[in-house]
Amino acid sequence: MADQDNTEAQKAAPQPETAKAAIMPPVKVTERYHVMPSSPLPELSTPSAKAYVAEDKRNTERKLFALVCPPFLGPRTGIMEVLKGANIRGVMSLVEYTTVFWPPMKQRTILVIYERPTGGRLLDHLGQINQHEMVRRVIEPLCHGLQEIATRGVSHRQIRPSNLYFLDGSLDRLVLGDCTTVPPGYDQPVLFETIERGAAPAAGRGSGDITDDMYALGVTILFTLIGGNPVPNLRTDDEILYAKMQEGSYTSLIGNEPVPQNMLEALRGLLSDDDHERWSLEQLDLWINGRRMTPLQKKSAPKAKRTIEYGGREHYNCRTLSLAVSRAPSQVEKLVKDETLETWLKRDLEDSDLATRASNAIHMAQSQSGDKDVMATRISIVLDPKLPIRYKDCGCMPDGFGTALAHSIMQKGNANTPVEIITRSLPRTWFDSQDTYNPVYVALEKNFDQLLKFVQERKIGYGVERCLYETNPTLACQSPLVVEEYILTIKELMPALERVSAKIDKQKKPIDRHIVAFIAARLNQNVDPHIKAVGDDREEIATLGMLSLLALVQWRTKAGNLLGLTSWVGAHIGPAIKAFHSKSIREEMEKEAPILIRKGNLADLFNLLDNAEQRIQDQSDFDEACEEFELAENEIKEIDGGNSSLQKNSTRIGQQAAAMTSIVIALLIITITFLGKLW
Amino acid sequence: MVKAPRVIKKGQPKGGGGTMVLGFLALFAAMILLLVSMASLVLVVFGLLPTIVAVLVDRSAQRFAFLSVFAMNFAGIFPHLLDLWMGSNSMSVAIDTLTDVFSLFTMYSSAALGWVLFAVTPPIVTTVMTFIAQRRISLLRGAQKKLLAEWGDDVSRPEPGAAESSEEIEPSAPAGEPSAPGQ
């Protein structure tokens, strides 16, 4: 399994290991630690994260190693913070973590530094631990470690023999390995996952809780007792799942293996398929301390009188049929035709309620679209509501939807199937089918309603990108502009854009769909008005929206003066300046903008361009100018068009003037003559 | 205000009524003059011959040609008429005046001056009015040029809704937020 893990690590993590790695200088992690890209540690690598030698500059004797988080998955940074420096017995000590530029990947990512265990993996020592020492060497330290992290609100979700390490060669101190570099359960083989989470692809298993850890612990104990895989005959994931579903996990995994009598009770408790009955940490602790409890009775799923054939298998119960339907949706017509499924459920399984629910699901699917995939999903959910939502090639527990979406986008390059899950309201079907109340489901259902709204709104700041960041709080921003900068938090965005501004072609816009969605999801503030402005069809409004959004982030994150970014943004403010009608105002702004750009404050630049009073004045002056222009134009047209009438009028006026002049002259002459005669 | 269309009756000569009134007026004046002074009547009738011609020639409604000629013609007769009235007021003086070339020249040349005024004034007025219009156009074009320089070509073709309230153009999001970063 270790070999398999290593191979997977090389496959999963795209880390181009070339001869160049040999000459790569150490990478500084904070001021204190160095990580050697040229010194990999395959024996400590996980399937997704490669391990490298790390050094403490203050204490060169200290043995450390670093795990490199794959940048395409959301690391559990919250848990890193909780475990950092915690020094818990039974848990590998997390010394430090930080985001740095990692030369082999040619991009930034998170390095997590741990105390280096020297005793090797538990996997390498299977069969070497005496069954009488099992509790002391394996169960007790792991139980303690799990108790400690559980009190800190952490579930491990990566418990398997290849991720448990002995701190030294005495094989006395077993610790839980890394659980922070990948999403919960991502690297877990199906064998170590419960039936429910195991039925989902690795990316959609969801965060889970301590009950999932207890199950994985049970399988790990079984591995240790038996000295290897208890079911080597089950080669594929589906074979494992069908076996667990038919016979129950305990029966199918233990089978005829010689398990010590004293361990049976614990294994039965830990491997229970009912998460309410599964042993808790307290029960395990009591058992370790010698208290013996009544062993759990084996409960298997209700069996039908006759089997039903589907997907090349005969099914006795709903669970396997549900899984088979989701695996082969193309054959679902067979179940629908002649009410085969309803009849089987009613007559052979003797569950009329379930038959009614199945019938309703079929009718719903037929009325919704009649699509085989939707029908298969609805039927499989009704047949076993505890299994994940499985639609086409995407499957996820509701709390694992985010990771499934991220995986689909990063690996397949599109999110069509996860988006269809939302738009076809399949999560609602899943929640409606649950027969027990769970407050977590209420919150999750609300989240899905919100995701539906995001998907339906396709403008920038919404859409799939928004869903991606809303459902993956620790996923790095995937914008092509800053993906190499590996931005996990909103605080890192502005410095990253500042760094990028130094090397990027300024013709490119400083924001894109990913960055806007990232800001909307990470900034704890309603930025909808800004986003609406960014998505406006009018270029000047979109420019102002971009500026206001970035200015807000700069101000909220106290990013300081950002000369490069402001200059980059400044190269795109043209439309906002052009929106002013007055040439003199534009010239004034073009003169002032470079001065503000040199200050590096986006808010100042925004305030210059979005002076509301000035804009209103400009608009009103422009309206007046338009009116004035129109009046002048009309008068000119009137004068030009009235030339012939002017000619006519002027002749008439001229004749009138001639008559008047004659009369006046005559009167003058008469008066003068008359007066002359009198004197 | 829309002016009511002016209806011109077919067959009715322009200014026919005016000529009639003018004729009566002239007849009435002639009757008065005949009773008061026969000499004056003779002087006026012969002196105003160009005016009589003008009445016949000018068929326009306003009779500006007649007015021009009459006014100037009468101004030319008046000094002789005054001499007659201030003197013996006899027919022989009237005939002497009418046979004096200088007197006739004065009377008829003044009538000619009336014709000249009538002929020359309209082109002068037209030229002046055209000049004023052109001057106005160039002033308006100048004002438009200034507007174009300040506001650009958009001022000449305001887009639909350009004159709407300024809130329409104001970006709703940034309008609220800018004060936030700067506060």
Side-chain angles (χ1 to χ4, degrees), chain A residues 529-530 582-583 606 619 635 677, chain B residues 83 136 150 162 173 177-178:
Chain A
H530 297 263
S582 167
K583 192 183 172 191
F606 174 70
Q619 186 60 42
E635 197 176 334
K677 280 287 173 196
Chain B
D83 283 344
R136 179 71 185 150
E150 176 61 26
E177 288 297 343

